[in-house]
Amino acid sequence: MLSLPLRDDARLGALETWHAEEFAAHMDRAREHIRPWVGQRFVTDDVDGARATLARYAEWQAADGARLYGIWHDGRLVGGVMYVSFSADLGSCEIGCWLEPSAEGLGLVTAACRALLDWAFTTRGLARAEWHCRADNDRSAAVAKRLGMTLEGVRRKAWPYQGERHDKELWAVLAEEWQEWNA
Ligand SMILES: CC(C)(COP(=O)(O)OP(=O)(O)OC[C@H]1O[C@@H](n2cnc3c(N)ncnc32)[C@H](O)[C@@H]1OP(=O)(O)O)[C@@H](O)C(=O)NCCC(=O)NCCS
C-alpha cells in the first residue's frame, strides 16, 4: 500500500525513512499530547530520532512483523496507526495509534484502524487483533469500542510512567466477529 484514501480530505500511507523530516515536524506538534499514552521510545526529539523510529519499523516490516502508517489530513501528516506487533505464525497482531491534537475528533484513527483490521483479517488471515491502552486513556478505549473490540482484561500496574505504575487494558476483536460485521 502506498496510499489509501480514508475519505476526500484524508489518506493513509506508508510512513518510511524518507519521511524523517516530515515525521519530526509532526512529532513537534504531537509530542507532549502523546507522551503519557504511547511507548516512550516512540516519542523522539529530533530528525535523527524520527528517522530511527522509521528505520526500526522498516526492519520489522521486512521481517513481516510490525508496520507503521501515516495519516495525512489536507496534505499534512497529523498522526498514524501501526501494527505494534504482527505475527502470521501466531495469527495475532496488536494495533496502535496516535494523533496530533488538531486532528482529534474527526474519526481519522477509527477509519485507519479499520483498514488495518481488514488487511490483517481478510488479506493475511489472522485470527485475532489486540489493542492495549492505559486504563485511564478514555479516548483510546473509545476507539477500541468503536472498532467492536471486547475488553478482555486489565493488567494491573503494567504501565510504568514517570515513576508511577498504571493499569493497562487489553481489548481484542476476533476474525469471525470482524467478518460477521463486515459481511
Ligand atoms: C487515541 C486517539 C488517537 C483517539 O483520537 P480520536 O480523534 O478520539 O479518535 P478518532 O480519530 O477515531 O475520532 C473519533 C472522534 O471523532 C468523531 N467523529 C467524527 N466523525 C467521525 C466518523 N466519521 N467516524 C468515527 N468518529 C467520528 C467521534 O465522535 C469521536 O469524537 P468524540 O470522542 O469527541 O465523540 C487520540 O486521542 C490520541 O492521539 N491520543 C494520544 C495518543 C494515544 O493515546 N494513543 C493511543 C495509545 S493506546
Side-chain angles (χ1 to χ4, degrees), residues 37 97 99 104-110 132 137 139-140 146:
W37 314 109
C97 67
L99 285 173
E104 272 187 335
L106 302 175
L108 295 173
V109 152
T110 298
H132 300 188
N137 192 345
R139 287 197 88 96
S140 180
R146 235 179 265 121

Side-chain angles (χ1 to χ4, degrees), residues 33-55:
H33 179 60
I34 68 173
R35 194 189 292 281
W37 314 109
V38 304
Q40 292 312 290
R41 205 177 172 201
F42 192 74
V43 187
T44 54
D45 293 327
D46 53 24
V47 177
D48 285 346
R51 188 177 292 107
T53 301
L54 300 177

Side-chain angles (χ1 to χ4, degrees), residues 7 30 32-39 71 78-82 94-101 103-114 131-134 137-143 146-147 159:
R7 52 193 210 195
E32 296 315 319
H33 179 60
I34 68 173
R35 194 189 292 281
W37 314 109
V38 304
I71 298 172
V78 294
V81 290
M82 69 273 259
E94 178 193 337
I95 288 178
C97 67
W98 80 97
L99 285 173
E100 60 185 61
E104 272 187 335
L106 302 175
L108 295 173
V109 152
T110 298
C113 288
R114 286 206 171 103
W131 184 275
H132 300 188
C133 61
R134 256 175 68 167
N137 192 345
D138 295 340
R139 287 197 88 96
S140 180
V143 177
R146 235 179 265 121
L147 293 169
W159 192 299

